[in-house]
Amino acid sequence: MLLVPPPFDPELGIALAAVGGSTPSGPSLADIAALRAEPELAVPAYDLTDGGTFATSDLTVPGPAGAPDISLFVIRPLAPPKDGPRPVVYHSHGGGMVLGTNRAGVEVVLEWAKELDAIVVSVEYRLAPEHPYPAGVEDVYAGLLWTARHAGELGGDPERIVVAGASAGGGLTAALALLARDREGPRPLGQVLMYPMLDDRNDTPSAHQMAGVGAWDRTANSTAWTAVLGDARGGPDVPAYAAPARASDLSGLPPAFLDVGSAETFRDEVVDYASRIWRAGGVAELHVWPGGFHGFDSFAPHTALARTARATRLTWLRRLLSP
């Protein structure tokens, strides 16, 4: 049966057409070094202090046992706290687990910090293919351990840590919640999974529908998962901490917010993940944004759908963090 891609939201379609109808959708492993050198990936185009509202700092903290130290990028409001220790957003960046730094994607969580009087801690993790699984997720877990133990020193509340990430960062965040549960580590108050990268098998109807269309297609996804897992990708022995869609037990997890576009590769794996949280007796809120392509809210933040998506996440967080 021919799988016809769902249409893009009209406003998003115009934005995508302005850059040629799609973003580069099929990099090979050989292309990763060149992509990392792109200036827009190396230096964020936004003010990380939000005009002096926040102070920023870089901390070096212990990594996993036997591994290098890791870097945490910390953003703290300069104004006095409104009501005791602040909530903490622990952020893992996107980039297919092959690209990005702890500055990537921070503009999204910075909006939350401004509205919710929160602290942001964004973790730098080792990237594939130089550092395949489990390097990335173990770095993310080590950063959470440090953040939970030292939240008070940052002015944060260790009982109100929300873990969050987009795309690959969303997948790492889902894996982090599983690791924290199974190792009896810090229990986040909630998890925000923005169009998360969850399934190395890359074989859902939406993955096939969107092949060669829009942003981050099936070819790009295959490249990234191969970088992380090598020949094990798609096979029977991939652990859930590498690809959370492989988890057989999704019980006992923190409340989850998940969202994804209807016109993107990850749609079906995200919908399935939310459904399995519900079937396990858990709490999840799922939004499928009609006509959204992968990363649409960051690519075209001026559009109506992007503004709605961002406002909806903020509403969920406000409700989660309310006394």
Side-chain angles (χ1 to χ4, degrees):
M1 181 180 70
L2 178 65
L3 291 173
V4 179
F8 295 129
D9 169 86
E11 198 177 10
L12 289 175
I14 292 169
L16 197 59
V19 294
S22 69
T23 58
S25 59
S28 68
L29 290 174
D31 297 326
I32 290 172
L35 288 170
R36 288 176 183 168
E38 291 288 336
E40 59 268 26
L41 292 179
V43 182
Y46 48 88
D47 177 9
L48 294 168
T49 72
D50 191 42
T53 303
F54 297 93
T56 64
S57 58
D58 288 282
L59 302 178
T60 300
V61 307
D69 291 344
I70 57 175
S71 173
L72 301 177
F73 180 57
V74 180
I75 307 175
R76 288 183 280 181
L78 284 172
K82 295 176 181 177
D83 186 24
R86 291 178 160 109
V88 178
V89 177
Y90 182 76
H91 173 253
S92 300
H93 68 80
M97 291 181 276
V98 299
L99 304 171
T101 72
N102 56 17
R103 267 71 168 169
V106 168
E107 78 278 10
V108 173
V109 293
L110 198 60
E111 290 181 7
W112 305 346
K114 188 173 182 178
E115 295 294 327
L116 302 171
D117 192 35
I119 296 164
V120 173
V121 178
S122 188
V123 60
E124 185 98 359
Y125 55 86
R126 286 170 290 172
L127 299 175
E130 297 89 344
H131 304 285
Y133 173 81
V137 70
E138 290 291 352
D139 286 352
V140 170
Y141 184 72
L144 177 65
L145 287 178
W146 187 94
T147 299
R149 291 167 182 165
H150 297 269
E153 299 167 23
L154 302 176
D157 183 348
E159 301 300 318
R160 292 199 298 161
I161 298 175
V162 178
V163 293
S167 193
L172 286 166
T173 298
L176 177 62
L178 293 168
L179 267 180
R181 179 198 66 183
D182 295 346
R183 294 180 179 176
E184 300 183 348
R187 178 174 172 83
L189 187 64
Q191 52 179 325
V192 181
L193 312 180
M194 297 172 280
Y195 33 87
M197 178 180 173
L198 300 170
D199 196 342
D200 66 295
R201 290 164 292 195
N202 200 23
D203 199 34
T204 63
S206 60
H208 288 280
Q209 265 186 317
M210 302 308 298
V213 181
W216 198 259
D217 78 340
R218 190 165 181 257
T219 301
N221 206 33
S222 175
T223 295
W225 279 116
T226 299
V228 175
L229 295 171
D231 292 340
R233 180 187 69 80
D237 300 320
V238 172
Y241 309 133
R246 300 290 196 127
S248 59
D249 179 10
L250 296 182
S251 64
L253 295 174
F257 178 98
L258 307 92
D259 67 351
V260 69
S262 68
E264 72 157 290
T265 299
F266 296 155
R267 182 195 66 222
D268 292 341
E269 63 198 66
V270 174
V271 170
D272 181 67
Y273 199 75
S275 297
R276 293 199 296 119
I277 291 175
W278 294 323
R279 289 200 294 270
V283 176
E285 180 170 321
L286 170 67
H287 293 266
V288 180
W289 302 113
F293 54 77
H294 187 66
F296 70 91
D297 64 303
S298 292
F299 181 82
H302 62 283
T303 59
L305 194 67
R307 294 197 304 270
T308 299
R310 290 193 176 200
T312 302
R313 296 175 195 141
L314 184 60
T315 296
W316 185 86
L317 283 164
R318 186 173 282 117
R319 189 169 65 246
L320 179 77
L321 294 170
S322 63

